[in-house]
């Protein structure tokens, strides 16, 4: 008579499920390692960031010129012309401004200087100067209007006729300027003499002293001619001799 076999013990399915969830994947399973996933994500991010950096640096040098070259003629330069339009207008407007101005030559000045106790005796100054005057554009003899330039160009083939007509016109302009400023000259000379006599020889022997003298002359004369349309911009010394 055969011995009865011992019945097998069967595990509940719930127990098997818990064991599968808590344990490592079964041998030969298809699960992905966490480190492997992190490596894949890092590679993808590096590729994306690298592409963005390449686009950032190469875009202005390669992509933009390539796109502009495909545009119809004229459109590619429209923006550049717009950016420089204001500058061009400013330059054209600035060309009408008198840069040098007119010169008013004054006769020689001889004035006694303020006594200097350290030097003793009398000191005096002998100087010759001119004033640079900013005038309205219409009265600027050195400013060439477009009409005058065109007229000169039109008579250029005439040789001496074209060149000979410019000098009398400039002389007449200078004469008119001297006549208008002439009414101020007596007071201008008094202002300059007074400014000279307030200085000492030692003071006028320095650059700072001479610049201060120029500033005072400019300020005082501009107060005198205020409202005339003229403005003194510089004082130019041709001779400047201080006798100690």
């Amino acid at each position: 008579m055969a011995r009865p076999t011992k019945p097998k013990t069967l595990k509940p399915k719930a127990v098997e499920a818990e064991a599968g969830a808590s344990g490592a994947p079964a041998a030969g399973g298809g699960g992905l390692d966490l480190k492997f996933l992190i490596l894949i994500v890092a590679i993808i991010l590096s590729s994306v960031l690298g592409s963005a950096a390449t686009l950032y640096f190469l875009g202005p040098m390669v992509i933009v010129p390539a796109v502009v070259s495909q545009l119809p003629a004229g459109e590619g330069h429209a923006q550049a012309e717009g950016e420089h339009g204001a500058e061009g207008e400013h330059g054209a407007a600035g060309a009408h401004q008198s840069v040098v101005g007119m010169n008013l030559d004054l006769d020689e000045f001889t004035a006694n200087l303020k006594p200097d106790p350290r030097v003793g005796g009398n000191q005096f100054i002998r100087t010759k100067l001119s004033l640079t005057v900013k005038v309205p554009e219409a009265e600027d003899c050195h400013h060439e209007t477009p009409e005058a330039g065109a007229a000169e160009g039109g008579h250029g083939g005439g040789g001496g006729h074209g060149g000979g007509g410019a000098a009398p016109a400039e002389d007449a302009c200078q004469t008119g300027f001297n006549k208008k400023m002439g009414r101020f000259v007596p007071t201008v000379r008094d202002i300059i003499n007074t400014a000279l006599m307030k200085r000492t020889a030692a003071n006028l022997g320095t650059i700072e002293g001479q610049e201060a003298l120029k500033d005072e002359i400019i300020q005082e004369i501009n107060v005198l001619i205020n409202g005339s349309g003229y403005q003194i911009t510089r004082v130019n010394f041709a001779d400047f001799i201080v006798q100690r």
Side-chain angles (χ1 to χ4, degrees), residues 57-180:
F57 288 105
L58 296 183
M61 295 184 293
V62 179
I63 300 176
V64 173
V67 173
V68 172
S69 64
Q70 300 301 319
L71 295 175
E75 293 186 8
H77 301 283
Q79 182 176 1
E81 292 177 357
E83 292 176 354
H84 295 286
E87 181 179 355
E89 293 174 1
H90 177 72
H96 296 288
Q97 297 295 327
S98 174
V99 177
V100 178
M102 302 286 291
N103 281 333
L104 178 66
D105 294 322
L106 299 174
D107 293 335
E108 186 177 82
F109 290 84
T110 301
N112 291 321
L113 297 176
K114 184 178 180 180
D116 189 348
R118 297 173 297 178
V119 179
N122 296 324
Q123 297 86 43
F124 68 91
I125 182 173
R126 186 171 69 248
T127 182
K128 185 173 178 58
L129 58 87
S130 65
L131 304 176
T132 300
V133 187
K134 181 180 178 182
V135 300
E137 180 182 330
E139 300 181 29
D140 189 354
C141 303
H142 306 296
H143 175 69
E144 182 180 357
T145 62
E147 293 78 7
E152 183 177 354
H155 296 288
H161 175 71
E170 184 172 349
D171 291 343
C173 179
Q174 184 69 46
T175 301
F177 167 74
N178 291 340
K179 183 177 180 180
K180 291 180 180 179

Side-chain angles (χ1 to χ4, degrees), residues 132-237:
T132 300
V133 187
K134 181 180 178 182
V135 300
E137 180 182 330
E139 300 181 29
D140 189 354
C141 303
H142 306 296
H143 175 69
E144 182 180 357
T145 62
E147 293 78 7
E152 183 177 354
H155 296 288
H161 175 71
E170 184 172 349
D171 291 343
C173 179
Q174 184 69 46
T175 301
F177 167 74
N178 291 340
K179 183 177 180 180
K180 291 180 180 179
M181 282 295 297
R183 59 194 174 110
F184 298 114
V185 168
T187 309
V188 165
R189 292 189 61 86
D190 181 69
I191 289 173
I192 295 174
N193 275 317
T194 302
L196 290 172
M197 289 188 292
K198 292 192 299 185
R199 265 73 183 177
T200 63
N203 178 260
L204 293 179
T206 64
I207 299 297
E208 294 78 6
Q210 295 176 16
E211 292 300 322
L213 172 63
K214 290 182 179 181
D215 291 341
E216 181 178 343
I217 292 174
I218 291 173
Q219 181 178 358
E220 292 293 332
I221 297 179
N222 279 333
V223 171
L224 169 68
I225 65 176
N226 183 35
S228 65
Y230 297 158
Q231 181 183 7
I232 308 300
T233 58
R234 280 188 60 85
V235 174
N236 311 292
F237 288 108

